[in-house]
């Protein structure tokens, strides 16, 4: 928004990349069903998203391996669509850290991702900036928040602005800090109920496709009413 204003646009509206509330919502039935299917009812940490170095999966793997005494499982996509060197690096790292037996693999389509997010206790978004890339939005974070699941996200790119006070944050790449947060959540899950509630409320009020449509409608109606004046930009 600041960049557009510096370029001379006086009317700038920020609009979310909305999630579908039919797919991403609190669903205790789905939680029970998925947990029964994966045969696990203990602490479940999950990662969803692209398998790429900038997404920081290695940070999550290194961090969770620091807390071997907690009875956790890590839920990951099967990587079947990402046959790249980074996926191989992550698999090798899990072997070296001796945590392969604690990995639960899944391969849901988009319509089922919300069910798996409900099943998780924590969804981690561990993005890391590169010289040519920063996290541009963080769709997974808002989807997990909409499911009422606790989100732990790095302070990368737009993530802090997206989640506001509805998630836990750690400095990007800080494996020790992420491990400490995960250990605290596993040991005392009830302490984080307020954060879960704030995340859910923010997602429902500000980040859904309904809110996206409302804001777009306001912008286009305003453009229609104005026949002259400064240009407006939607970002």
């Amino acid at each position: 928004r600041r960049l557009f204003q510096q370029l001379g646009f006086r009317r700038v509206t920020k609009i979310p990349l909305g999630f579908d509330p039919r797919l991403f919502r609190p669903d205790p039935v789905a939680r029970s069903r998925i947990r029964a299917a994966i045969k696990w009812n203990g602490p479940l940490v999950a990662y969803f998203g692209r398998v790429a170095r900038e997404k920081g999966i290695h940070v999550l793997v290194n961090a969770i391996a620091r807390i071997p005494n907690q009875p956790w499982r890590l839920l990951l996509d099967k990587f079947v669509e990402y046959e790249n060197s980074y996926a191989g690096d992550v698999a090798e790292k899990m072997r070296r850290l001796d945590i392969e037996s604690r990995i639960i693999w899944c391969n849901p389509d988009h319509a089922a991702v919300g069910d798996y997010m409900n099943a998780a206790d924590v969804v981690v978004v561990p993005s890391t900036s590169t010289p040519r890339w920063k996290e541009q939005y963080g769709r997974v974070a808002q989807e997990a928040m909409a499911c009422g699941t606790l989100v732990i996200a790095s302070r990368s790119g737009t993530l802090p602005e997206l989640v506001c006070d509805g998630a836990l944050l750690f400095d990007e790449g800080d494996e020790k800090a992420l491990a400490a947060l995960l250990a605290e959540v596993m040991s005392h899950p009830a302490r984080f109920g307020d954060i879960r509630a704030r995340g859910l409320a923010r997602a429902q009020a500000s980040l859904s496709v309904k809110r996206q449509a409302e804001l777009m409608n306001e912008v286009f109606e305003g453009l229609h009413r104005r026949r002259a004046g400064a240009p407006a930009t939607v970002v």
Side-chain angles (χ1 to χ4, degrees), residues 160-183:
E161 181 181 355
L162 177 70
V163 303
C164 293
D165 63 349
L168 296 171
L169 294 172
F170 68 100
D171 290 339
E172 58 181 84
D174 191 339
E175 298 164 3
K176 185 176 180 180
L178 175 55
L181 287 174
L182 288 170

Side-chain angles (χ1 to χ4, degrees), residues 2-3 16 18 28 39 46-47 52 57 76 87 93 104-105 125-126 139 146 175 180 197 201 215-216 221-222:
R2 287 193 300 269
L3 286 171
K39 297 180 174 61
Y47 169 84
I57 305 171
L76 291 174
K93 181 180 291 293
I104 296 176
W105 300 101
V125 187
R139 188 184 292 271
E175 298 164 3
L215 288 169
M216 292 180 73
E221 283 188 344

Side-chain angles (χ1 to χ4, degrees), residues 10-227:
R10 288 188 296 152
R11 293 185 293 273
V12 182
T13 301
K14 291 197 302 179
I15 293 177
L17 298 174
F19 68 89
D20 187 341
R22 297 171 300 177
L23 301 178
F24 300 97
R25 57 186 176 83
D27 189 340
V29 174
R31 176 179 172 86
S32 297
R33 174 168 49 80
I34 297 298
R35 281 183 164 254
I38 64 176
K39 297 180 174 61
W40 180 250
N41 202 35
L44 185 62
V45 179
Y47 169 84
F48 302 94
R50 290 192 298 116
V51 180
R53 186 167 298 277
E54 62 267 23
K55 289 297 185 176
I57 305 171
H58 59 287
V59 175
L60 171 56
V61 169
N62 285 335
I64 203 165
R66 288 173 172 262
I67 45 178
N69 295 328
Q70 291 278 9
W72 52 264
R73 293 294 183 270
L74 177 59
L75 181 68
L76 291 174
D77 188 280
K78 286 184 177 179
F79 301 168
V80 292
E81 296 180 10
Y82 298 94
E83 294 181 0
N84 55 38
S85 60
Y86 180 66
D89 291 345
V90 171
E92 175 59 27
K93 181 180 291 293
M94 291 188 294
R95 283 191 290 271
R96 284 191 284 105
L97 294 171
D98 194 26
I99 61 171
E100 288 180 291
S101 63
R102 292 185 174 219
I103 308 301
I104 296 176
W105 300 101
C106 65
N107 188 28
D109 59 26
H110 183 68
V113 170
D115 293 348
Y116 283 84
M117 288 180 168
N118 270 281
D121 297 302
V122 184
V123 170
V124 181
V125 187
S127 303
T128 58
S129 300
T130 74
R132 300 185 62 181
W133 184 91
K134 289 184 179 181
E135 183 58 72
Q136 301 151 6
Y137 189 74
R139 188 184 292 271
V140 167
Q142 67 172 13
E143 291 171 346
M145 289 160 59
C147 292
T149 302
L150 182 66
V151 171
I152 301 180
S154 67
R155 294 185 178 92
S156 178
T158 61
L159 283 171
E161 181 181 355
L162 177 70
V163 303
C164 293
D165 63 349
L168 296 171
L169 294 172
F170 68 100
D171 290 339
E172 58 181 84
D174 191 339
E175 298 164 3
K176 185 176 180 180
L178 175 55
L181 287 174
L182 288 170
E184 181 70 11
V185 171
M186 292 177 196
S187 299
H188 307 286
R191 292 181 182 175
F192 301 91
D194 288 348
I195 296 177
R196 287 188 178 90
R198 290 198 296 268
L200 174 60
R202 170 159 173 74
Q204 291 176 333
S206 303
L207 303 175
S208 72
V209 289
K210 180 177 183 295
R211 184 57 179 153
Q212 181 180 10
E214 290 170 349
L215 288 169
M216 292 180 73
N217 188 60
E218 290 174 11
V219 169
F220 293 131
E221 283 188 344
L223 288 171
H224 182 68
R225 288 192 299 267
R226 287 192 296 270
R227 296 183 179 181

